[in-house]
Amino acid sequence: MEESDIAFVNELDKDSIETYDQKTLKTNIPGFDALFVNGGLPAGSAVMIAGGPGTGKSTFCRQICYNRISEGKRCMYVSFEENKEKIMKSMKTFGWDIKEYIDNGQFLIQIINPLDVLRMKFGSLGGSGSATELSSKIKPLVIPKDFHPDVIVVDSLSAIIAASITKEKNYRIYLQQLFSFFEETGATSLLIAETDPLPTRFSDSGIEEFLADGIIVLYNVQKQQGRVNAIEVLKMRYGQHIKKIVQMNITNTGIVVNPEQPVEIQF
Amino acid sequence: MEESDIAFVNELDKDSIETYDQKTLKTNIPGFDALFVNGGLPAGSAVMIAGGPGTGKSTFCRQICYNRISEGKRCMYVSFEENKEKIMKSMKTFGWDIKEYIDNGQFLIQIINPLDVLRMKFGSLGGSGSATELSSKIKPLVIPKDFHPDVIVVDSLSAIIAASITKEKNYRIYLQQLFSFFEETGATSLLIAETDPLPTRFSDSGIEEFLADGIIVLYNVQKQQGRVNAIEVLKMRYGQHIKKIVQMNITNTGIVVNPEQPVEIQF
Amino acid sequence: MEESDIAFVNELDKDSIETYDQKTLKTNIPGFDALFVNGGLPAGSAVMIAGGPGTGKSTFCRQICYNRISEGKRCMYVSFEENKEKIMKSMKTFGWDIKEYIDNGQFLIQIINPLDVLRMKFGSLGGSGSATELSSKIKPLVIPKDFHPDVIVVDSLSAIIAASITKEKNYRIYLQQLFSFFEETGATSLLIAETDPLPTRFSDSGIEEFLADGIIVLYNVQKQQGRVNAIEVLKMRYGQHIKKIVQMNITNTGIVVNPEQPVEIQF
Amino acid sequence: MEESDIAFVNELDKDSIETYDQKTLKTNIPGFDALFVNGGLPAGSAVMIAGGPGTGKSTFCRQICYNRISEGKRCMYVSFEENKEKIMKSMKTFGWDIKEYIDNGQFLIQIINPLDVLRMKFGSLGGSGSATELSSKIKPLVIPKDFHPDVIVVDSLSAIIAASITKEKNYRIYLQQLFSFFEETGATSLLIAETDPLPTRFSDSGIEEFLADGIIVLYNVQKQQGRVNAIEVLKMRYGQHIKKIVQMNITNTGIVVNPEQPVEIQF
Amino acid sequence: MEESDIAFVNELDKDSIETYDQKTLKTNIPGFDALFVNGGLPAGSAVMIAGGPGTGKSTFCRQICYNRISEGKRCMYVSFEENKEKIMKSMKTFGWDIKEYIDNGQFLIQIINPLDVLRMKFGSLGGSGSATELSSKIKPLVIPKDFHPDVIVVDSLSAIIAASITKEKNYRIYLQQLFSFFEETGATSLLIAETDPLPTRFSDSGIEEFLADGIIVLYNVQKQQGRVNAIEVLKMRYGQHIKKIVQMNITNTGIVVNPEQPVEIQF
Amino acid sequence: MEESDIAFVNELDKDSIETYDQKTLKTNIPGFDALFVNGGLPAGSAVMIAGGPGTGKSTFCRQICYNRISEGKRCMYVSFEENKEKIMKSMKTFGWDIKEYIDNGQFLIQIINPLDVLRMKFGSLGGSGSATELSSKIKPLVIPKDFHPDVIVVDSLSAIIAASITKEKNYRIYLQQLFSFFEETGATSLLIAETDPLPTRFSDSGIEEFLADGIIVLYNVQKQQGRVNAIEVLKMRYGQHIKKIVQMNITNTGIVVNPEQPVEIQF
């Protein structure tokens, strides 16, 4: 067998590899960054924010956005279901007024109508085009030219998959393309994943959790004293972290994590 | 890539956004409004009222309607299964005489025959029409001109979905359109959802609970002393609430919630 | 949008609505009627009698029939599986001799051969006929002219559905038509439903239990002292009832319910 | 609607109905008949003998056959999987020598090759023939003319269904025809049903257990002292019985039931 | 109906039936034969050797082969996945040198490439050929002429089914043909079945365990002191046996069963 | 039947079989090799490295690669999802600088774009070509000529199967071909398998775990003190091993196994 047989090895990866130190994204959610040895999320990662209904997934991501844009960064929030007004109203209830950041272009809320995505033509996989051509067609969202977001939130991953991917035999491969897309943006991606209340799987297919760089799970569990919110870093590539489920409060001014207060959950 | 590529971003949302204070809808169900920091449901929300058979879902919604119309508001009750006479009879057993409100037009009971819905032609998604044209076709119920209800009850969400949506690959997108429809009415929507007796999912697809703004769960659980009714606010966007399962009694005069009496449930 | 758009609202319901007092059907099964505040089943309801094999569902319904016809009422028993002779024999073992009531026309046992139902042509839903025409075709059983039964037993609901309804996308709508049919007879319908021994759902589809006005569950559970029979009113529209699982004995003379003896069941 | 519309009511059942006393079939399996108030199985019933692998189902049925033919009765054993030699060998290990009864025609072992059943043409349901014509085609086994067996064993029901019934929408109706066939033979039918080791359902479809007149469950459960065999009468129409799971031993001379020794099973 | 109608009764079984004493196959696995009253497996049976990954199924069967060929018997080992070299290497690690027995023809290892089986044409069931013709085509493996093995091992039953049987409506009938094939060889067949670690079913279809004459289950369970191997005779036609799960060690020189040491397993 | 009928027996295996001593591959992961009697993995085996998200599967395999190439061996790492830069970065965080080994050709990281695999044409099974021709087409990855790796890591087995195998009736046979491919390379293959967090099955099909020579399971379980990592050798052909779940720490310098510290897991 000849070396020349390796037609499908990606030659582009052979060039210019250099190791670099892992950059860290501080979320400034009280108590949350302390869960990581490096004091924050590994920058540039694609992280699933997973949880059942009412666990605070959207609030968690919006708080990170607010904290970042307050420091002058750019963020992009992609919503499939809530409109811009409702998102603004919801953030206002925590005291996060984002109107000025929308006006000055720091915060971009992109409302996507799933009907529009349906109408787009995706290149059919396995066709004659080159890999580059193909991947350019599998872009479920468009980042404006010269807008380089620090954080991209997708609310929700479940919705973006429903709108852009047919459940068929090539499902995993489409997903790999989707995660590659987020990776290539250079931004830290927070991908909201809708799960059962006490999830042991984090997606219908059981595949997304292996493709993601990290998984943060939000819980809303019944205790004798009532429902309790909790948070856990279940997986994080490129960053060491505390391996505990800890308490989380959703207060008037946003989420507060108590990294010292473990929460026991019976799965 | 050019800014002009963002064809499918909904441009309509860019205009005239203004934040506003969250309005509250007082249900006046004894003990229930005390579960919310603001003293009632966030007005304008789409709230699932979920529970197994015999948990009091219909009674809960009818009591809210009766309380609102007693205060001069307008309500609309959409029923797929019980006829108007049975609904009136059922409400009468709690002492709620609605005849006068039906006559003066405050209370509109709409009985929908699923066969009629089947006969309607829905625009096929992904067709050539504009998004506006499409969404105008996905209206499973019709609100009379100049009738602006304060509360809309759909009894049941399961029935409306069965009658109007085919379970196919675009299922989630149809659901998003349906929830958008309710949102655009401006009314608070109470959507009755039929579940297993101890639900951890609130719909067959597991999608509806993420699209809804809120989920209120009604329980009917076996305790040593017999069956006990209970209620829980599991999720509520735009409104903080007590996170406990609390006791609920279905009395001769309607539902009474005891916000101080927690109920333990083994899921 | 014009008022005239509401084509599919059932106009017939707008006429002549009058509230009336709930009538009660006394079963005269010892101890059973005491489970209801009004001392019996709400007359005119469609009630599922649900339970696993060997729980006494048929006996329960036959005892009610016998008690009613003994008081001069008319009853109709629709059987898909046992023939008339076996039903008579089975009732005889409890001392219920029904021969005279069959002869004088008070008790009508209708044996339906599922093969015959299969041969009938049902109107296809969504066709061009009016709703009235359609529903007239979905009559899985025929009540003789001028025979107005007090109670109709269907043994079993599972069988009637298997014989008359194709499991397809319009399944729920067919079921709604079926329940409407029973409601329109004016009789109290007892619909035997075959379930798992410790049911939390009461039908394959999970739909029937929401369409029915009431659910009575029969249990046959293993206790340390052996199998124990028990009964529970799980749901009953238009009638308040005791919310407990209570003991039930199948004696030589029929079923005896002990409303004071709760039975604990581990689901 | 006219009386003449009731075309599909089985007219044959209207004639010559007479009640009669329930006859009893004594099995003479030590301890087993004592489980019934009448001292044996209701004669003429179709009884499922259900259990997991290794629970003694075949032995139970063969012992009844041996006991009956020893008393001069005729029995028929239909086997789909074991051949006649193996059945004789197996019975010999318990001391039951059936050679003379085969020779004198009292005991008929019918080995059915499923391939042969497959080759038979069944009348298609819903066709133009009369019900009588149809049912005459759905005869999966043939009883020789003038051979009137006291007991028919089908080893197994699962096999006969696999060979003669296609799993399709009319599955329940085919099953009803099959059970009618057994009922019409006049014999007591013992239908071996293969289940999970601790069954709560007794067939794949969950239908057979409702069509059968009786269900006898055999257990083979792990206890601290090892595996224990047990037996239970779960359901029996036309006959009162003890409602307990009791111990059963498979000895050198056949099955011995201990009706006084309850066995606790954790389902 | 005429006697002549019984076309599909297997006439061949009517001839020359004679009872005989059950022969016993001693495995000589230390401690194992003591589980049987007759001191070994019933010769000529088709026995499933079932267990999860890492439970010692292959080792168990190879040890029996080695013990038999050491005593001058012939054995045949059919492997779908491991090649002859690996099987020899694996047996060598227990001190079982089989080279001489392969050379002298006592031990036949047959490696089957599933691709070759796929290429064979099977007679289509239900065709016009006679039963004899059909069954002669369903031979997934070929035993050389004049080679009469004492033991046949199939490693694995799962593999042979995957290669030769399409999962379709006639699945059970194909399986019955397959088990008939083994029975007709006259050898004792050990059929390795891949299961879940704590199996309650022993095949995907739940059918094989009822067709097999015996089931031996191997366990590999987590105990406080670590993983423990155990063995159980769950079912054995034509042979009485101890009904306990007992300890089993996989030592340097092969499997040793401790029939006196019960192992408790929480299913 | 003639000997010549055995057309599908693989004749190639008949030649030149010689037994040999089992070679051992020392991983040099602290504490891990002590789990094996021979002090390491059986060389040349195909071993599944199974576990849920965040259990350290990739780290485990990369550490073995780093240890081997540090000793002058060659390794090949096949990745379907992470690119070469991210793999290098990830290994650097543990202090494993692989740049020099990539440059000198000892460590080959092969990034496979699943889209490219999709485009390859596989020979259709059951076609006319010989077995040799067919198997040469089912090569999902290509090892450069004259590069003889000591260890091959496939990250992940799930991804390689998704890209190269259609889930169809011949699924098991394709898998057998895939495992044969790895065996024929002569290298020890580490095949990463994505599972549920507490797996009892190690693949969707439940087949891979039986085809693999070994299974190593990584756990990430919730304990009162937080999440704990653990490791277990569940199955290993050709090598005896300790049968316990033991603690494993993921430290700054890589994985450390504590073979003396058992971890109890409630499945």
Side-chain angles (χ1 to χ4, degrees), chain D residues 81-82 88 114 227 229 252, chain E residues 17 176 232 238 240 243:
Chain D
E81 281 136 29
E82 280 182 285
M88 291 176 74
R227 292 270 175 185
N229 286 104
N252 278 334
Chain E
I17 293 169
Q176 288 172 326
E232 178 186 25
Y238 327 121
Q240 281 200 302
K243 310 191 95 174

Side-chain angles (χ1 to χ4, degrees), chain E:
Chain E
M1 199 175 314
E2 300 299 318
E3 171 71 33
S4 59
D5 276 352
I6 321 180
F8 54 82
V9 176
N10 193 339
E11 300 292 328
L12 300 178
D13 285 298
K14 292 188 174 171
D15 310 326
S16 67
I17 293 169
E18 16 176 344
T19 59
Y20 57 85
D21 291 322
Q22 175 60 53
K23 297 207 188 82
T24 293
L25 182 140
K26 295 188 83 67
T27 68
N28 287 329
I29 290 183
F32 177 73
D33 292 329
L35 295 174
F36 296 88
V37 168
N38 288 342
L41 291 170
S45 299
V47 181
M48 288 173 78
I49 310 299
T55 52
K57 298 179 299 298
S58 294
T59 302
F60 181 83
C61 295
R62 291 166 187 179
Q63 188 167 357
I64 292 178
C65 285
Y66 184 75
N67 290 349
R68 299 302 288 170
I69 56 179
S70 300
E71 295 182 356
K73 305 289 186 191
R74 287 181 163 184
C75 294
M76 178 169 166
Y77 196 101
V78 182
S79 169
F80 279 75
E81 281 136 28
E82 281 181 286
N83 63 27
K84 202 185 284 193
E85 195 180 39
K86 285 203 161 187
I87 292 170
M88 291 176 74
K89 182 174 76 173
S90 157
M91 293 183 73
K92 195 83 180 291
T93 66
F94 293 104
W96 307 328
D97 196 334
I98 56 173
K99 189 155 193 324
E100 64 173 303
Y101 302 111
I102 287 177
D103 291 348
N104 73 14
Q106 266 184 268
F107 194 29
L108 176 61
I109 298 183
Q110 207 176 65
I111 307 300
I112 297 189
N113 186 328
L115 286 178
D116 292 314
V117 180
L118 269 191
R119 260 187 238 110
M120 295 171 64
K121 297 271 182 300
F122 291 107
S124 58
L125 285 187
S128 57
S130 74
T132 310
E133 286 175 336
L134 283 169
S135 73
S136 78
K137 289 179 182 165
I138 311 179
K139 282 201 172 27
L141 52 92
V142 179
I143 303 171
K145 206 179 171 182
D146 297 327
F147 184 84
H148 300 296
D150 195 47
V151 171
I152 297 176
V153 175
V154 176
D155 189 352
S156 65
L157 181 62
S158 319
I160 207 172
I161 289 172
S164 59
I165 299 182
T166 321
K167 274 213 180 168
E168 49 171 50
K169 59 186 160 77
N170 294 330
Y171 185 69
R172 186 186 183 99
I173 293 171
Y174 274 106
L175 279 178
Q176 288 172 326
Q177 296 297 107
L178 184 64
F179 275 86
S180 290
F181 169 82
F182 287 119
E183 178 192 304
E184 286 164 17
T185 65
T188 303
S189 312
L190 305 178
L191 310 170
I192 292 179
E194 306 167 349
T195 70
D196 282 339
L198 290 180
T200 53
R201 306 186 86 179
F202 304 95
S203 61
D204 269 357
S205 69
I207 297 176
E208 285 88 324
E209 50 261 52
F210 291 99
L211 297 179
D213 291 318
I215 306 172
I216 292 169
V217 192
L218 303 190
Y219 299 96
N220 180 15
V221 292
Q222 206 204 347
K223 290 285 187 183
Q224 237 173 334
Q225 71 270 32
R227 292 269 175 186
V228 167
N229 286 105
I231 191 168
E232 178 186 25
V233 183
L234 184 68
K235 163 185 174 179
M236 194 62 66
R237 286 181 190 149
Y238 327 121
Q240 281 200 302
H241 54 90
I242 289 174
K243 310 191 95 174
K244 276 181 186 157
I245 303 179
V246 298
Q247 207 186 7
M248 171 183 122
N249 292 306
I250 308 182
T251 73
N252 279 334
T253 57
I255 286 169
V256 176
V257 173
N258 187 343
E260 309 293 337
Q261 185 62 52
V263 173
E264 257 188 274
I265 296 184
Q266 306 293 335
F267 283 87

Side-chain angles (χ1 to χ4, degrees), chain B:
Chain B
M1 198 176 313
E2 299 298 319
E3 171 73 32
S4 59
D5 277 353
I6 319 180
F8 54 81
V9 175
N10 192 341
E11 299 293 329
L12 300 178
D13 286 298
K14 291 189 174 170
D15 308 329
S16 67
I17 293 169
E18 17 177 344
T19 60
Y20 57 86
D21 291 321
Q22 175 62 52
K23 297 207 186 83
T24 293
L25 181 140
K26 296 187 84 67
T27 68
N28 286 330
I29 289 182
F32 176 73
D33 292 328
L35 295 174
F36 296 88
V37 169
N38 288 341
L41 292 170
S45 299
V47 180
M48 287 172 79
I49 310 300
T55 52
K57 299 179 299 297
S58 295
T59 302
F60 180 84
C61 295
R62 290 166 186 180
Q63 188 167 357
I64 292 179
C65 285
Y66 184 76
N67 290 348
R68 298 302 289 170
I69 56 179
S70 301
E71 296 183 356
K73 304 290 184 187
R74 288 181 164 185
C75 294
M76 177 168 166
Y77 195 100
V78 183
S79 170
F80 279 75
E81 282 137 28
E82 281 181 284
N83 63 27
K84 201 184 284 192
E85 196 179 39
K86 285 202 162 187
I87 292 170
M88 290 177 74
K89 181 175 75 172
S90 157
M91 294 182 73
K92 194 83 181 290
T93 66
F94 293 105
W96 307 328
D97 196 334
I98 56 172
K99 188 151 193 324
E100 66 173 300
Y101 302 110
I102 288 177
D103 291 347
N104 73 13
Q106 265 184 270
F107 193 29
L108 176 61
I109 298 183
Q110 207 175 65
I111 308 300
I112 297 189
N113 185 329
L115 287 177
D116 292 313
V117 180
L118 269 190
R119 260 186 239 111
M120 296 172 65
K121 297 270 183 300
F122 291 106
S124 59
L125 285 187
S128 57
S130 73
T132 308
E133 287 174 337
L134 283 169
S135 73
S136 77
K137 290 179 183 166
I138 312 179
K139 283 201 172 26
L141 53 93
V142 179
I143 303 170
K145 208 179 170 183
D146 297 327
F147 185 84
H148 299 296
D150 193 47
V151 171
I152 297 176
V153 175
V154 176
D155 188 352
S156 65
L157 181 62
S158 318
I160 208 172
I161 288 172
S164 58
I165 299 182
T166 321
K167 273 211 181 171
E168 50 171 48
K169 60 187 161 76
N170 294 329
Y171 185 70
R172 186 185 183 99
I173 292 170
Y174 274 105
L175 278 179
Q176 289 171 327
Q177 297 296 108
L178 184 64
F179 275 85
S180 291
F181 169 82
F182 287 118
E183 179 191 303
E184 285 164 18
T185 65
T188 302
S189 313
L190 305 178
L191 311 170
I192 292 179
E194 305 168 350
T195 70
D196 282 339
L198 290 179
T200 53
R201 307 187 86 180
F202 303 95
S203 61
D204 269 357
S205 69
I207 297 175
E208 285 88 325
E209 50 261 51
F210 292 99
L211 297 179
D213 291 318
I215 305 172
I216 292 170
V217 191
L218 302 190
Y219 299 95
N220 180 16
V221 291
Q222 207 205 347
K223 291 285 189 185
Q224 240 174 329
Q225 70 270 33
R227 293 270 176 185
V228 168
N229 285 104
I231 192 168
E232 178 186 23
V233 184
L234 184 69
K235 163 184 173 179
M236 195 60 67
R237 288 181 189 147
Y238 327 121
Q240 281 199 302
H241 56 89
I242 288 174
K243 310 189 96 175
K244 276 180 188 157
I245 303 179
V246 298
Q247 207 186 6
M248 171 182 122
N249 292 306
I250 308 183
T251 74
N252 278 334
T253 57
I255 287 169
V256 175
V257 174
N258 187 343
E260 309 293 337
Q261 185 62 51
V263 173
E264 256 187 275
I265 296 184
Q266 305 294 335
F267 283 85

Side-chain angles (χ1 to χ4, degrees), chain C residues 30-41:
Chain C
F32 177 73
D33 292 329
L35 295 174
F36 296 87
V37 169
N38 288 341
L41 291 170

Side-chain angles (χ1 to χ4, degrees), chain B residues 118 162, chain C residues 125-126 165-175:
Chain B
L118 269 190
Chain C
L125 286 187
I165 300 182
T166 321
K167 274 212 181 170
E168 50 171 48
K169 58 185 162 77
N170 293 331
Y171 185 69
R172 187 187 182 98
I173 292 171
Y174 275 105
L175 279 178

Side-chain angles (χ1 to χ4, degrees), chain D residues 84-124:
Chain D
K84 201 184 286 193
E85 194 179 39
K86 284 202 161 187
I87 292 169
M88 291 176 74
K89 181 175 77 173
S90 157
M91 293 183 73
K92 194 83 180 291
T93 66
F94 293 104
W96 307 328
D97 196 334
I98 57 173
K99 189 153 192 324
E100 64 173 303
Y101 302 110
I102 287 177
D103 291 347
N104 73 15
Q106 266 185 268
F107 193 29
L108 176 61
I109 298 184
Q110 207 175 65
I111 308 300
I112 297 189
N113 186 328
L115 286 178
D116 291 314
V117 180
L118 269 190
R119 259 187 239 110
M120 295 171 66
K121 298 271 183 299
F122 292 108
S124 58

Side-chain angles (χ1 to χ4, degrees), chain E residues 81-84 86 88-89 92 114-116 119 144-145 194 222 225-227 229 250 252, chain F residues 1 3 8 10 17 19-20 22 125 134 172 176 183 210-211 213 232 238 240 243-244 265:
Chain E
E81 281 136 28
E82 281 181 286
N83 63 27
K84 202 185 284 193
K86 285 203 161 187
M88 291 176 74
K89 182 174 76 173
K92 195 83 180 291
L115 286 178
D116 292 314
R119 260 187 238 110
K145 206 179 171 182
E194 306 167 349
Q222 206 204 347
Q225 71 270 32
R227 292 269 175 186
N229 286 105
I250 308 182
N252 279 334
Chain F
M1 199 175 312
E3 171 73 31
F8 54 81
N10 192 340
I17 293 168
T19 60
Y20 57 85
Q22 175 61 54
L125 285 187
L134 283 169
R172 187 186 182 99
Q176 289 172 325
E183 178 192 303
F210 291 99
L211 297 178
D213 291 318
E232 178 186 25
Y238 327 121
Q240 281 200 301
K243 309 189 96 174
K244 276 181 188 157
I265 296 184

Side-chain angles (χ1 to χ4, degrees), chain C residues 10 36 39 44 56-57 79 87 92 116 132 158-159 161-162 164 180 184 195 198 206 208 216 238 245-246 263:
Chain C
N10 193 339
F36 296 87
K57 300 180 298 296
S79 169
I87 292 170
K92 195 82 181 292
D116 292 314
T132 308
S158 318
I161 289 171
S164 58
S180 290
E184 286 164 17
T195 70
L198 290 179
E208 286 88 324
I216 292 170
Y238 327 121
I245 303 179
V246 298
V263 173

